[in-house]
Amino acid sequence: MSDASTPDDAEPSHDHEHHHHRLEGPGYATPQAAIEEGGREKLAYVMSLYVGTDVDAPDFVAVVDLDPDSETYCEIVDRIELPNRGDELHHFGWNACSSSCHVEGLERRHLIVPGQRSSRIHVIDAKDRRNPELAKVIEPEEVYEYDLSAPHTVHCIPDGEILISMLGDADGELPGGFLELNDDFEIEGRWEPPGEIEMNYDYWYQPRQNVMVSSEWGAPKTYYPGFDLEDVEAGNYGRKIHFWDWEDGTVEQTIDLGEEGQIPLEVRFLHTPESTHGFVGAALSSNIFHFWRDEDATGGDERYRAKKVIDFEPREHEDWDMPVPGLTTDILISLDDRYLFGSNWLHGEVWMYDISDPSNPRRADSLSVGGTFGEVQEVQGRELSAGPQMIQLSLDGERLYWTTSLFSSWDEQFYPEEGERGSVMLKADVDPRKGTLELDEEFLVDWGECPAGPARAHEIRWPDGDCTSDVWQ
């Protein structure tokens, strides 16, 4: 039975019972409030980059018009160009989200936009949602002072500070860690004691349970040049997830997912703040693991457990000398905690599973589009190259969007046409009642038509919160 519908007995450890009181800060009081009050998405911010292409231009943040009643629907209507070349924009986040809705006076206004390769951190003022402006740049040298580099996941901390997972040390080697910014966007310092973990990647926190979970990719110097199977055999890629004491910033438990959990990337708790259930996608193994705190363990051993619940089998292809893994590079959970969505970048597949019972996901539907095996290889006459990669779901769970770039050097290795033609953004209409996906063949945003030349497109965010950045307490 769904944990979302039967919250466990854990009591809130914080005093912020804002969901029973007047909303004072940014975001929504509950996930259900976001579904009911959020409205349809009309703009998207999308990471856009020229790293690894022949175009000599800085990366930019694209503002995409998603309003079907607009004359510029499906067009990039603004570009916030950054001041330097070679940043490799990757993941980004807000200075505040729904976890801060008890903080009076705090606004969801500034985007925190790191460069994966440069370690430069940009602050963009999005007060004017359609015309954001660059407000501040934190230079790499300021980051290196804390023996950290390669910023990845950005989440706000409930009281207005910002936490960024960092994948390497100042030399691009291990270990990684976490960097904390204050609400003036100044570096506060390392969030955790050094040496708590070796590898780092994505993270998600559940403040009511005083827990954070983090995943692993590898050292920046390992994955920057591209994927090498010898690095897997040498143990240079991760396969563990770590459970932290959220308030102390220390690791309480590590679970080794084993051979079937190679390269665990995106990690999500269910949205309901009482829940201890979540999922992590093991990209290389192409498996999904369910994790949960075992409250019924005998002898008081109430630890987190993890179990593989979805397995995407590799497929034979005449151009490959080994079976092609799905490469499950992104997952997300709908705000009602009913569906888990994900992408298999190499297979060319987006999928949805019913997770009403999180320990027994049930496949609901999928689309085969782009990538190595996709049945649909062209939309509106535009030939597709790479498969679905970063995904984002509307607040009401009825529209699923995705882009097609993974990481510049990995794009070049598996889909070199991505750099030549540019990425695309596609969309599927979702019927949550029937559990179905249908490709919207009228929707296409083409990064191949950017003024400076074809660009790559990566992570997507909505101006007022989404399924992969908002946390509730």
Side-chain angles (χ1 to χ4, degrees):
M1 183 171 291
S2 170
D3 186 73
S5 59
T6 57
D8 54 37
D9 296 330
E11 292 295 328
S13 59
H14 300 261
D15 294 328
H16 308 310
E17 295 184 354
H18 54 275
H19 51 298
H20 299 306
H21 302 288
R22 183 174 63 85
L23 188 65
E24 298 172 327
Y28 304 95
T30 64
Q32 186 61 33
I35 294 170
E36 295 175 0
E37 301 167 11
R40 179 173 176 138
E41 65 286 351
K42 294 187 176 179
L43 291 175
Y45 300 132
V46 183
M47 292 292 91
S48 307
L49 53 153
Y50 281 115
V51 172
T53 73
D54 294 332
V55 178
D56 182 23
D59 297 349
F60 61 94
V61 179
V63 181
V64 178
D65 188 339
L66 299 180
D67 183 355
D69 295 327
S70 167
E71 292 182 355
T72 53
Y73 181 52
C74 294
E75 294 182 13
I76 297 172
V77 293
D78 193 24
R79 297 172 184 79
I80 305 100
E81 291 197 359
L82 302 183
N84 297 278
R85 288 165 169 74
D87 284 313
E88 180 117 27
L89 302 185
H90 196 63
H91 288 216
F92 65 132
W94 286 100
N95 67 307
C97 75
S98 293
S99 72
S100 306
C101 69
H102 63 285
V103 181
E104 188 173 5
L106 192 61
E107 291 181 81
R108 189 203 301 262
R109 170 170 168 173
H110 291 92
L111 287 165
I112 314 302
V113 182
Q116 236 293 308
R117 286 184 189 266
S118 67
S119 299
R120 189 173 286 110
I121 300 171
H122 311 85
V123 180
I124 291 176
D125 185 345
K127 182 178 181 179
D128 182 341
R129 296 305 205 208
R130 205 174 171 93
N131 297 288
E133 296 181 347
L134 181 64
K136 179 176 180 175
V137 177
I138 300 173
E139 295 295 342
E141 292 73 19
E142 300 174 66
V143 174
Y144 298 153
E145 288 183 17
Y146 299 89
D147 199 19
L148 292 169
S149 67
H152 190 269
T153 298
V154 177
H155 277 300
C156 76
I157 296 177
D159 290 334
E161 297 182 323
I162 297 142
L163 189 63
I164 307 174
S165 64
M166 309 292 290
L167 275 54
D169 66 12
D171 296 321
E173 303 282 5
L174 300 177
F178 291 87
L179 189 72
E180 186 173 355
L181 308 184
N182 63 26
D183 54 7
D184 289 324
F185 313 117
E186 298 166 336
I187 296 178
E188 192 80 5
R190 289 187 76 120
W191 175 76
E192 90 296 3
E196 286 289 302
I197 53 172
E198 281 289 304
M199 298 182 192
N200 203 5
Y201 183 73
D202 192 28
Y203 78 98
W204 194 282
Y205 64 95
Q206 198 72 314
R208 196 175 296 191
Q209 298 289 347
N210 189 34
V211 65
M212 182 179 90
V213 59
S214 66
S215 60
E216 296 187 335
W217 191 2
K221 284 190 174 177
T222 298
Y223 64 77
Y224 276 177
F227 177 74
D228 188 336
L229 196 56
E230 291 185 0
D231 282 321
V232 178
E233 295 166 351
N236 294 333
Y237 281 114
R239 62 182 206 180
K240 299 174 184 174
I241 54 175
H242 308 277
F243 294 90
W244 300 67
D245 183 305
W246 171 242
E247 292 188 349
D248 291 345
T250 54
V251 174
E252 288 201 322
Q253 185 185 350
T254 292
I255 295 179
D256 188 336
L257 301 175
E259 292 295 325
E260 295 189 305
Q262 295 278 4
I263 312 186
L265 293 183
E266 311 305 329
V267 61
R268 321 286 187 206
F269 272 113
L270 296 189
H271 296 287
T272 184
E274 294 89 354
S275 180
T276 65
H277 290 258
F279 296 88
V280 59
L284 184 59
S285 305
S286 305
N287 296 320
I288 305 297
F289 282 77
H290 167 226
F291 59 81
W292 74 101
R293 185 172 176 84
D294 187 358
E295 305 288 353
D296 299 324
T298 57
D301 187 23
E302 297 176 358
R303 297 169 65 81
Y304 275 89
R305 315 286 182 190
K307 180 182 179 183
K308 185 186 74 172
V309 290
I310 301 173
D311 187 349
F312 296 103
E313 294 289 337
R315 300 173 65 176
E316 300 288 342
H317 191 282
E318 59 183 7
D319 295 335
W320 283 60
D321 56 9
M322 59 177 281
V324 183
L327 210 69
T328 309
T329 48
D330 197 14
I331 62 171
L332 68 73
I333 296 172
S334 60
L335 287 182
D336 62 3
D337 287 337
R338 181 175 177 189
Y339 290 109
L340 178 71
F341 294 84
S343 60
N344 292 346
W345 189 58
L346 288 182
H347 282 187
E349 182 183 42
V350 286
W351 46 261
M352 65 185 289
Y353 274 74
D354 187 328
I355 54 168
S356 299
D357 177 355
S359 61
N360 292 290
R362 180 184 61 81
R363 189 180 183 95
D365 203 0
S366 64
L367 283 176
S368 179
V369 52
T372 308
F373 298 95
E375 295 172 1
V376 176
Q377 287 288 346
E378 189 176 288
V379 174
Q380 294 184 31
R382 168 63 150 94
E383 191 174 347
L384 308 177
S385 49
Q389 213 285 105
M390 295 307 296
I391 57 176
Q392 189 56 262
L393 184 69
S394 61
L395 298 179
D396 61 9
E398 296 189 2
R399 292 164 298 282
L400 181 72
Y401 301 80
W402 64 88
T403 56
T404 51
S405 171
L406 174 60
F407 194 72
S408 62
S409 51
W410 294 42
D411 287 353
E412 287 299 294
Q413 196 170 354
F414 296 104
Y415 295 114
E417 301 88 353
E418 185 76 357
E420 298 166 5
R421 297 181 193 146
S423 297
V424 296
M425 182 175 176
L426 299 175
K427 164 180 168 281
D429 292 318
V430 183
D431 188 332
R433 291 155 291 280
K434 297 179 180 177
T436 57
L437 290 167
E438 182 177 2
L439 182 67
D440 179 355
E441 299 201 33
E442 300 300 315
F443 183 93
L444 172 76
V445 185
D446 191 350
W447 270 255
E449 298 178 350
C450 292
R456 307 179 194 278
H458 193 67
E459 193 173 46
I460 306 165
R461 295 235 168 276
W462 309 141
D464 295 304
D466 49 56
C467 298
T468 57
S469 62
D470 273 50
V471 173
W472 279 267
Q473 20 176 4

